[in-house]
Amino acid sequence: MPMLMTTEQNEWFQRMRGEWLRVMRPLEGYGPSSLFPRLRILPAENLAECQLLPSREHLFEKLPKGGKVIEVGTQEGLFARFILDHCQPDELHLIDIDLKPLYDVGDKGLLEKAKAHEGDSSAILGTFPDGYFDWVYIDGDHSYEGVQRDAEVARLKVRPGGLLIFHDFTMWSPAECIDYGIPHVVCELSVNFGWKFVYFALDPLMYCAVALRRPE
């Protein structure tokens, strides 16, 4: 199904596509150029137990109730409310560089039960003891550098057997027309440290979610 654009939008898009191809040269023959680096090839055993799910919500409904959990990148707290209702964590932490949207929405029940932290996510994660969380959900800075900083700290803060969950496992955001670094960081984590995929959740616009388990 093609994008649902007006005639004006479609004409503009075709002009810009031509300019993109002229300046960026993203294609070499039938394949993408080095403009888009390839992902690391995953060992088959790191995918052997991965379960494919219909949505991010289905993924979180698979998680055990209770425990200590943290959401990196909470914005207005809308998905944090889903986490609170469906996962019922014993301890819920929220991180964002700016907590004003969270407080503007003012979900009183969420704010009473969750501990909100404002500031740099990797620095805040670093204040917790190693192995503290049952799972960490990363949905903050989507650049490669930002995700890598968060993941490098978060992998130490998850208990052995715990999960690191990443949202927006996609190399390109059609809504923003920018590249995302999540797939590269996730595949590097799996290859370099032996983290195995547990869940892969689809999304209608392919802003997928993945969960990886820390080795015991």
Side-chain angles (χ1 to χ4, degrees):
M1 182 177 182
M3 288 189 291
L4 301 177
M5 295 188 290
T6 65
T7 300
E8 181 183 5
Q9 289 170 332
N10 185 63
E11 291 174 352
W12 177 89
F13 181 81
Q14 293 304 320
R15 291 197 304 271
M16 291 303 100
R17 180 176 180 276
E19 186 68 4
W20 169 274
L21 291 170
R22 184 184 70 81
V23 176
M24 304 300 289
R25 299 185 190 87
L27 301 178
E28 294 174 346
Y30 289 100
S33 72
S34 57
L35 179 67
F36 298 101
R38 272 68 167 174
L39 296 176
R40 295 285 295 273
I41 300 298
L42 297 169
E45 59 267 24
N46 287 15
L47 297 169
E49 299 178 7
C50 184
Q51 184 176 356
L52 183 64
L53 299 171
S55 70
R56 175 176 57 158
E57 287 73 18
H58 284 79
L59 189 161
F60 278 82
E61 289 171 355
K62 290 278 188 180
L63 302 181
K65 300 289 191 296
K68 299 174 181 177
V69 306
I70 188 165
E71 180 188 43
V72 176
T74 196
Q75 296 183 319
E76 297 94 347
L78 302 181
F79 199 72
R81 163 52 70 179
F82 182 91
I83 292 172
L84 184 63
D85 291 343
H86 291 267
C87 301
Q88 301 170 18
D90 299 321
E91 193 174 310
L92 173 60
H93 295 264
L94 310 174
I95 301 178
D96 210 286
I97 195 69
D98 180 11
L99 290 177
K100 186 177 183 299
L102 177 67
Y103 292 129
D104 284 347
V105 171
D107 184 334
K108 185 178 180 181
L110 175 64
L111 294 174
E112 286 177 348
K113 294 183 179 180
K115 172 64 176 176
H117 308 263
E118 184 173 78
D120 178 80
S121 51
S122 59
I124 294 170
L125 281 168
T127 66
F128 291 92
D130 287 356
Y132 187 80
F133 293 105
D134 292 280
W135 51 265
V136 174
Y137 174 51
I138 297 179
D139 190 15
D141 184 342
H142 287 40
S143 69
Y144 174 79
E145 295 77 12
V147 183
Q148 186 183 49
R149 284 194 301 270
D150 287 338
E152 184 64 23
V153 181
R155 70 179 180 86
L156 302 175
K157 305 306 173 182
V158 174
R159 64 169 176 80
L163 300 178
L164 262 184
I165 305 165
F166 297 84
H167 192 215
D168 299 324
F169 187 91
T170 184
M171 294 180 68
W172 182 262
S173 169
E176 302 156 286
C177 289
I178 59 173
D179 60 315
Y180 277 3
I182 295 92
H184 289 281
V185 173
V186 169
C187 291
E188 289 166 6
L189 175 71
S190 181
V191 171
N192 295 339
F193 298 101
W195 289 58
K196 295 185 177 180
F197 283 67
V198 181
Y199 302 117
F200 191 105
L202 297 172
D203 178 86
L205 290 173
M206 294 309 291
Y207 290 96
C208 300
V210 295
L212 287 78
R213 190 179 303 282
R214 179 178 177 178
E216 296 281 359

